[in-house]
Amino acid sequence: MSYNGSGTFQINTSGQPVVTGTVISSSAFNALTADLATGLSTAITKDGQTATTVRIPFAQGINSSLVTDATNTTTGSIITAGGVGIAKALFVGTTSNIAGAATFGSTITYGGVTLTAAVTGTGKMVLDNTPTLITPVLGVATATSINKVAFTAPATAATLTIADGATLATSGAYSLTLTATAATNVTFPTTGTLATLAGSEAFTNKTLTNPTVTNYVETLYAIGNSSTAVTIALTNGTVQTVTLTGNCTFTMPTATAGKSFILIVVQDGTGSRTATFTSVKFAGGVAPTLTTTATTGRDILTFVADGTNWYGTYAQAFA
């Protein structure tokens, strides 16, 4: 008789099976018992006295009524060598599934990281305390900092919306604080630098409505010697000085409505120089005759435009 891997005994001893009226020989009986002993020696005993010598495949899986018991080896738990509470490695060829509500008396270690609490959510597990997440989708999340940028949570709620394709960036050694106590809309320019509340900045093409200006200064521009022709450019300044070194014709700038400027005219060492102003209307239609005194002859002319003409007034003979 032999015991095959399917757990079946096959009678192969000579003189077996025994038939009625046959005298059982000692050799046949001893061969049978030896064969039985050999078969039983390879069987797994239910009380755990026999240890398997090779890996046992379970084609239909394992059904067991295991209970959670970290201290008792007789209540259905699977015990590995070393006893209860000894850490063991679990090796799985492909996929390992733990279904249902699993309770472990100790901890599970995976990839060098110990899982000490239940895993929640769906998808892949994040085990590292500094994980790299590729294109994660975050719902309602809580964060104190991202990329070294600190976040302070509002007491109730707040909204930060950045338009598609837009960029929000700060630079420099100073902090940027935006404060709003009510609905506020601020439109920033596409280029240029915003003026600060303190400091000196140049404003170009700005419209001020009903401003209060205290102690303002207009730009003073020195034309220098006139020779016989000067073209006035207000981009140089709205207060200009000129020394007459010849009988000079002044070409006025475009008469833009609301523009004005002051021209201070000084005679050179020769004196008696004359001045003619194009496209200017003076009171009574008469242009002024300049003070002729050499060196000290000084007149102040003021011009204002209405969009069509320049209008001029003057004060003379400042000594």
Side-chain angles (χ1 to χ4, degrees):
M1 176 182 285
S2 63
Y3 181 54
N4 63 20
S6 299
T8 303
F9 283 95
Q10 299 290 339
I11 299 175
N12 56 17
T13 305
S14 177
Q16 300 294 333
V18 177
V19 298
T20 303
T22 301
V23 177
I24 302 174
S25 68
S26 61
S27 60
F29 181 79
N30 291 335
L32 175 60
T33 55
D35 203 11
L36 289 173
T38 301
L40 291 174
S41 296
T42 60
I44 301 176
T45 58
K46 66 181 295 183
D47 62 0
Q49 294 185 50
T50 303
T52 61
T53 57
V54 296
R55 294 180 180 178
I56 306 299
F58 296 93
Q60 301 299 322
I62 299 176
N63 291 330
S64 175
S65 58
L66 296 179
V67 297
T68 301
D69 191 342
T71 61
N72 193 321
T73 64
T74 64
T75 56
S77 299
I78 296 177
I79 305 301
T80 59
V84 177
I86 305 301
K88 293 294 179 291
L90 174 64
F91 296 94
V92 180
T94 55
T95 302
S96 176
N97 295 320
I98 301 177
T103 303
F104 301 93
S106 182
T107 57
I108 296 178
T109 300
Y110 176 78
V113 178
T114 299
L115 304 180
T116 58
V119 177
T120 61
T122 60
K124 298 179 180 179
M125 291 189 298
V126 176
L127 303 178
D128 200 347
N129 61 356
T130 56
T132 298
L133 304 179
I134 308 300
T135 61
V137 177
L138 302 179
V140 180
T142 300
T144 56
S145 66
I146 297 178
N147 281 353
K148 300 181 181 180
V149 178
F151 291 91
T152 301
T156 55
T159 300
L160 174 62
T161 302
I162 300 178
D164 183 30
T167 299
L168 176 63
T170 62
S171 62
Y174 303 101
S175 62
L176 173 65
T177 301
L178 302 177
T179 302
T181 57
T184 303
N185 293 323
V186 178
T187 301
F188 292 97
T190 57
T191 60
T193 302
L194 293 177
T196 60
L197 296 179
S200 299
E201 283 87 17
F203 291 90
T204 302
N205 296 328
K206 299 295 185 291
T207 298
L208 303 179
T209 301
N210 194 31
T212 298
V213 181
T214 301
N215 193 27
Y216 73 95
V217 176
E218 294 185 69
T219 301
L220 175 64
Y221 175 69
I223 298 173
N225 296 330
S226 68
S227 186
T228 59
V230 170
T231 297
I232 297 176
L234 294 185
T235 54
N236 294 324
T238 53
V239 177
Q240 301 192 17
T241 63
V242 63
T243 299
L244 296 179
T245 56
N247 296 329
C248 183
T249 298
F250 289 89
T251 300
M252 300 292 283
T254 302
T256 303
K259 284 201 171 185
S260 63
F261 71 97
I262 295 173
L263 180 64
I264 301 174
V265 180
V266 181
Q267 295 283 348
D268 66 359
T270 300
S272 298
R273 310 292 191 182
T274 63
T276 302
F277 298 91
T278 62
S279 304
V280 177
K281 295 182 179 297
F282 289 98
V286 179
T289 300
L290 298 181
T291 302
T292 59
T293 307
T295 306
T296 59
R298 188 180 304 269
D299 298 337
I300 299 177
L301 294 89
T302 302
F303 302 93
V304 62
D306 63 358
T308 302
N309 301 300
W310 283 101
Y311 297 93
T313 58
Y314 51 90
Q316 295 184 291
F318 287 87

